Amino acid sequence: MDWRDEGILLSMRTHGESAAIIEVLTAAHGRHAGVVRGGASRRMAATLQPGTGLALEWRARLDDHIGSFTVEPLRSRAHLLADRLALAGLMAACAMLRLALPEREPHPGLYPDTLALFDRFGAEGWTTAYLRWELRLLEELGFGLDLRACAVTGAVEGLAFVSPKTGRAVTMAAAGDWADRLLPLPAGIAGAAFLTPAAVVEGLKLTGFFLDRGLRPVLHDKPLPEARSRLVDLLSRPA
């Protein structure tokens, strides 16, 4: 069994004296693990960093074996090591992908969106892009929010809340006495413009609620990954 693909490195851990086991998100083969011979060596250290774009060849005797990877670097993101916040965003995305996506299940729609996010880290507006990527991840997992119009009135203006039960948007006027039971919806979250830091944090609380609820069977009542919590904490600090 063998295939060739491109992917993004999500994680690496040493295996034995010199090998490494890596997890990657690939274009055609989803989240996939494999052994890299010599992957724990100093020579491979720069290549096997989370977020690195890789050309991959996977081989195994049988399809259900872990198999081995041969890797070649395509895109380094080592510059993010000097940007604490952007690095936290990259690590949060890697952690969410590892947790949320079933192994070896292709996600052809999510992959290019994820690649675009990784290329955006460190650039202007990347925090807004990360928030909208989490909305995209919710959609891919089948937990997508409906932020197009008010669930009560059908209005498309003045959307201010999201129902925690249905994931549908509600206007301030329609919320009425139920407002304190609804989740705040940052203005502009479903648009194209950059959001303020406060709006991004509010938005991540919203996506975090639905990610936590949707992934609860996977989490076994544990919280979302620490890497995501670290990102939210950094974004919440005063500038």
Side-chain angles (χ1 to χ4, degrees):
M1 304 298 299
D2 65 88
W3 50 256
R4 291 175 176 82
D5 203 349
E6 294 184 3
I8 303 168
L9 183 68
L10 302 180
S11 70
M12 185 277 275
R13 66 180 188 273
T14 57
H15 178 65
E17 294 186 0
S18 61
I21 295 177
I22 65 170
E23 282 188 278
V24 294
L25 178 66
T26 66
H29 298 86
R31 181 175 66 86
H32 210 290
V35 176
V36 178
R37 307 298 178 190
S41 67
R42 290 185 179 182
R43 182 180 63 85
M44 295 293 292
T47 298
L48 299 184
Q49 293 293 325
T52 300
L54 298 170
L56 301 153
E57 181 177 356
W58 181 82
R59 292 181 178 177
R61 291 183 62 190
L62 296 173
D63 188 55
D64 58 353
H65 287 182
I66 188 170
S68 62
F69 276 126
T70 301
V71 304
E72 293 291 339
L74 293 176
R75 177 71 182 270
S76 172
R77 295 184 173 88
H79 62 284
L80 297 179
L81 293 173
D83 186 333
R84 183 185 182 192
L85 186 58
L87 181 61
L90 182 147
M91 298 305 293
C94 288
M96 290 306 303
L97 289 164
R98 292 183 65 206
L99 171 70
L101 299 185
E103 192 171 8
R104 303 190 181 190
E105 181 178 295
H107 293 271
L110 180 65
Y111 181 81
D113 294 339
T114 301
L115 189 61
L117 173 68
F118 276 63
D119 288 341
R120 190 73 177 272
F121 281 126
E124 183 182 11
W126 75 260
T127 56
T128 298
Y130 177 88
L131 169 59
R132 290 178 178 146
W133 175 82
E134 284 204 347
L135 288 170
R136 178 68 182 85
L137 181 62
L138 279 167
E139 180 183 342
E140 187 75 12
L141 297 173
F143 315 136
L145 308 185
D146 186 351
L147 308 179
R148 297 170 296 179
C150 177
V152 180
T153 66
V156 297
E157 301 291 337
L159 302 174
F161 300 100
V162 175
S163 166
K165 291 185 177 181
T166 66
R168 298 187 65 187
V170 181
T171 63
M172 179 72 74
D177 296 337
W178 292 84
D180 61 346
R181 303 185 186 185
L182 303 176
L183 302 170
L185 175 66
I189 190 174
F194 297 157
L195 302 181
T196 66
V200 170
V201 171
E202 197 69 56
L204 289 174
K205 291 178 181 177
L206 175 68
T207 54
F209 173 86
F210 288 99
L211 284 166
D212 178 72
R213 188 176 72 181
L215 293 171
R216 194 163 295 167
V218 178
L219 295 169
H220 302 294
D221 293 324
K222 295 179 181 179
L224 292 173
E226 182 181 349
R228 186 186 185 276
S229 300
R230 188 178 305 116
L231 172 63
V232 176
D233 178 64
L234 288 172
L235 290 171
S236 302
R237 296 178 184 179

